[in-house]
Amino acid sequence: MRKTAYILVLLIIGIQSLSLGQKKKKEAEIDTVEQESFIVQPKRIEFEVGNKDEDFVIISAKERGLLVVKETRNRTETGFIWEMYLVDSLLNVVWDKALAVNYGSVFLGYDYSDEGFFLLYGKSEYKLDDMTVYQIDLSGEEIYSHAIKLALPLELSHFEVVSNTLIFGGVSNLRPVVSTIDLDDPKPKVMPGIYNNNSSIIDVRTDKKTNNFTIVLSERTIHKQTTVSIKTFTEKGELVHTESIKAEHEKSLLDGVSTSFDNGTQYIAGTFSKRKSEYSRGLYLAKLNLGMQEFIKYHDYGDLENFFSYMRAKREERVKEKIERKKVKGQKAKFNYRLLIHDIIERENEYILVGEAYYPKYSNYGSSNFYSSNNFNSNDGFSNPNFIGFKYTHAVVVGFSKKGDLLWDNSFEINDLLSYSLKDNVQISVEDDRIVLLYVYENVIRSKIIQNDEILEGKSFDPVELHFKSDEVRNNEKEMEGLEKWFDGSFYTFGIQHIKNLKDKDVKLNRRVFYINKVQYQ
């Protein structure tokens, strides 16, 4: 699970409204097609947003429910009140609690394990070595407070929990650090082999079955290549194995996600580039066996059959003609993209990888050619005053064999999406006979169903359903909007809406609510 520490940022962003249309490509034409909806929203819950309510966070416990955490400005003698509501899988409130958090505390992160929910607070957003973790059991009957003191002050980027162990990842003195604290023995441990000048943390992945966790690192070699290394530890901080991926001479590995360490086997997938470039040219899959690299295989974007399907028909045709001309000459067409990689999903004898293509957009940005070179750092959008958000174009879905060969690919157009923060937008549900892709933007759920390289249901548009018949959304706070995978074939979408109702009896004329809708597909 990929999750960075949560820092509250209030932003007001001017985004031009984008027209919605249902588009289906057939041969060289794009026709507007009415799609029969396969999305259902069986239940909705609303929490009224008052003048003293600051923010909301949702923590998933899968089929056990969702914990809704609301930050308020209501005061006690010692601190501000944070309200908590556990809702079950039918979005019924099971219990609610209030937690007084000391004045001056900053909310930093959260997680869930079989031991309960965990909320992390610190005295500052930076240089953290003195923090507090609140542990709430699933019944809501007990709330435990744990004082956390790390061995090194940390600029936090990752917070995870596996069993009874807290994992903290970040930077100290410009070097990556991962520390753990066992709540049964709260002496901090620093994981070995990470604190150096040549690496940075990409991801911290926990395995709830084995209680191991894997740290994925980006490393700079002495030959000025960028590669990926992984280190797997037990929950007690004991090293299971470590290995750096060996890339070809002129290639660099930009990022990586890993499978769990299963019977000595682990797969790593991500994007690769020309040696010093920040822009990826394709995808790779590597296999480790007992900590030793068995293979790494590369697949250029030009090798994918449907990678360019998000384009208009004529443009896609020109791109494919270019690819064929290069093939005739014994060459490969090179395409440079920024891709945000999701976790690997295993289905029978294949591994499925999803990536979202994006580019930084500026107020004076005049070109739609998002793979043109610029000096923008995707983690530093705030440094340019003309930056207005990340523009997404499409999600690519790829199936690999266990030997690393490309089996199929497909795509999902998301070119109506603009977000100020770089995050996973597309959620995926993988079944034996189909793959469902969904995301939400401006109060509308977009979805598509595929099976390998075939499209079973084209892109459809379903408005986020409201509570009452005469409800009308007057305003939607875009940066609070989201859609997440929940459990099995269920998702949930959420956000803050300003709603007006002029007709229904015993309903407020105007209300501002934080909503959660359960989302399923037929």
Side-chain angles (χ1 to χ4, degrees):
M1 176 177 59
R2 180 182 301 174
K3 180 171 77 270
T4 58
Y6 169 88
I7 305 296
L8 175 61
V9 181
L10 296 179
L11 300 168
I12 301 177
I13 303 172
I15 300 178
Q16 283 188 326
S17 62
L18 304 175
S19 62
L20 297 180
Q22 294 180 322
K23 297 181 179 179
K24 183 178 181 181
K25 182 183 300 181
K26 185 177 181 181
E27 297 179 352
E29 298 178 351
I30 298 179
D31 299 322
T32 300
V33 177
E34 290 294 330
Q35 299 286 351
E36 182 180 352
S37 176
F38 55 88
I39 293 295
V40 294
Q41 301 172 59
K43 192 67 184 293
R44 174 183 172 102
I45 188 171
E46 294 182 352
F47 299 88
E48 187 170 348
V49 181
N51 294 329
K52 292 187 176 182
D53 296 332
E54 291 289 312
D55 198 52
F56 290 80
V57 173
I58 302 174
I59 308 172
S60 173
K62 303 298 183 182
E63 67 277 358
R64 295 183 174 185
L66 303 170
L67 183 68
V68 181
V69 182
K70 179 169 71 171
E71 178 187 6
T72 80
R73 293 287 100 183
N74 296 321
R75 295 172 175 266
T76 67
E77 291 183 0
T78 59
F80 290 113
I81 294 294
W82 290 63
E83 298 176 3
M84 297 177 291
Y85 305 85
L86 182 72
V87 298
D88 60 21
S89 60
L90 299 177
L91 295 184
N92 299 311
V93 176
V94 179
W95 53 256
D96 61 273
K97 297 287 181 181
L99 174 67
V101 178
N102 291 338
Y103 292 120
S105 297
V106 178
F107 186 41
L108 299 170
Y110 60 88
D111 202 4
Y112 169 79
S113 78
D114 290 338
E115 304 297 325
F117 301 96
F118 295 82
L119 306 178
L120 175 65
Y121 295 84
K123 296 180 179 178
S124 168
E125 297 177 8
Y126 308 103
K127 298 296 183 184
L128 300 165
D129 55 359
D130 188 1
M131 295 175 283
T132 301
V133 170
Y134 293 97
Q135 179 182 353
I136 305 101
D137 67 17
L138 199 64
S139 68
E141 296 177 356
E142 299 289 346
I143 300 178
Y144 305 96
S145 175
H146 304 283
I148 304 298
K149 291 189 178 295
L150 300 179
L152 295 171
L154 197 64
E155 294 179 28
L156 192 69
S157 60
H158 294 78
F159 173 61
E160 302 285 344
V161 180
V162 57
S163 185
N164 215 35
T165 297
L166 311 180
I167 306 167
F168 304 88
V171 175
S172 183
N173 298 321
L174 303 178
R175 299 177 181 181
V177 175
V178 175
S179 295
T180 63
I181 289 183
D182 186 339
L183 293 178
D184 296 326
D185 180 17
K187 183 179 179 180
K189 294 181 180 179
V190 177
M191 300 299 97
I194 297 172
Y195 188 73
N196 61 68
N197 290 321
N198 300 314
S199 61
S200 59
I201 300 171
I202 297 176
D203 193 19
V204 178
R205 178 186 177 88
T206 59
D207 185 342
K208 307 299 184 183
K209 294 181 180 180
T210 64
N211 287 337
N212 291 340
F213 63 94
T214 296
I215 303 166
V216 184
L217 298 163
S218 175
E219 290 189 344
R220 194 74 172 170
T221 70
I222 58 174
H223 303 295
K224 298 184 178 180
Q225 279 181 287
T226 301
T227 189
V228 169
S229 68
I230 61 170
K231 300 179 186 297
T232 298
F233 297 88
T234 68
E235 62 177 308
K236 300 299 182 181
E238 299 163 344
L239 182 65
V240 176
H241 78 90
T242 179
E243 178 66 16
S244 292
I245 306 298
K246 299 174 182 64
E248 290 182 3
H249 176 62
E250 287 298 325
K251 291 183 172 66
S252 282
L253 308 184
L254 296 180
D255 49 33
V257 290
S258 73
T259 63
S260 300
F261 186 70
D262 184 16
N263 295 322
T265 299
Q266 200 161 21
Y267 287 84
I268 314 294
T271 61
F272 70 89
S273 71
K274 190 176 180 180
R275 177 177 290 204
K276 296 182 180 180
S277 176
E278 295 179 356
Y279 300 88
S280 64
R281 286 191 172 176
L283 303 168
Y284 74 88
L285 183 72
K287 180 182 179 181
L288 303 179
N289 192 14
L290 298 176
M292 301 295 290
Q293 181 172 324
E294 189 168 307
F295 65 74
I296 180 170
K297 293 188 178 181
Y298 305 92
H299 304 279
D300 291 84
Y301 293 131
D303 296 334
L304 306 184
E305 184 66 28
N306 296 296
F307 186 85
F308 304 100
S309 297
Y310 73 97
M311 297 176 175
R312 292 188 178 275
K314 289 184 178 180
R315 187 183 175 197
E316 180 187 3
E317 186 178 354
R318 290 195 301 269
V319 170
K320 290 191 172 182
E321 287 174 354
K322 176 183 175 181
I323 293 171
E324 291 303 317
R325 288 196 303 270
K326 290 285 187 179
K327 284 184 179 179
V328 171
K329 297 178 182 178
Q331 301 172 346
K332 282 194 173 185
K334 298 178 176 63
F335 302 93
N336 298 322
Y337 281 79
R338 296 178 185 268
L339 220 63
L340 184 64
I341 297 296
H342 295 210
D343 289 339
I344 304 173
I345 301 171
E346 185 174 4
R347 181 176 68 172
E348 295 183 352
N349 293 317
E350 65 180 348
Y351 289 99
I352 297 171
L353 186 66
V354 179
E356 298 179 37
Y358 68 94
Y359 63 94
K361 188 174 179 64
Y362 303 92
S363 57
N364 60 350
Y365 196 71
S367 171
S368 62
N369 182 8
F370 68 90
Y371 45 83
S372 62
S373 178
N374 60 58
N375 294 321
F376 182 82
N377 184 322
S378 63
N379 296 319
D380 194 24
F382 298 97
S383 64
N384 190 317
N386 295 322
F387 175 72
I388 61 172
F390 294 103
K391 187 75 170 68
Y392 296 81
T393 59
H394 66 297
V396 57
V397 189
V398 178
F400 297 108
S401 73
K402 290 192 173 183
K403 295 182 178 180
D405 298 321
L406 179 66
L407 298 176
W408 55 267
D409 70 275
N410 217 316
S411 66
F412 184 25
E413 308 78 21
I414 54 176
N415 49 17
D416 48 9
L417 203 158
L418 180 69
S419 173
Y420 203 76
S421 58
L422 190 58
K423 60 183 179 180
D424 294 349
N425 295 287
V426 176
Q427 302 299 318
I428 181 172
S429 178
V430 176
E431 300 179 355
D432 291 340
D433 57 350
R434 64 178 179 175
I435 296 173
V436 181
L437 304 162
L438 305 94
Y439 72 98
V440 66
Y441 186 61
E442 293 188 334
N443 279 321
V444 177
I445 299 170
R446 283 84 160 166
S447 54
K448 186 175 184 178
I449 297 182
I450 64 172
Q451 173 59 354
N452 300 343
D453 56 0
E454 297 180 2
I455 299 175
L456 303 185
E457 296 285 349
K459 189 174 183 179
S460 65
F461 301 81
D462 294 88
V464 171
E465 293 183 3
L466 304 177
H467 197 68
F468 299 102
K469 182 179 180 180
S470 300
D471 280 348
E472 295 181 11
V473 177
R474 311 299 291 179
N475 185 34
N476 175 55
E477 300 184 15
K478 295 186 183 74
E479 286 301 311
M480 286 296 297
E481 186 178 54
L483 186 147
E484 298 289 342
K485 181 73 187 299
W486 193 355
F487 65 93
D488 297 334
S490 296
F491 302 79
Y492 63 91
T493 187
F494 58 92
I496 292 180
Q497 295 172 330
H498 300 248
I499 298 175
K500 189 172 185 176
N501 190 311
L502 299 174
K503 297 180 180 180
D504 289 323
K505 188 177 180 180
D506 299 326
V507 178
K508 284 185 177 181
L509 177 64
N510 293 285
R511 68 186 193 272
R512 181 173 177 238
V513 299
F514 178 78
Y515 72 89
I516 303 174
N517 281 24
K518 187 174 183 178
V519 179
Q520 296 175 311
Y521 52 89
Q522 299 173 332

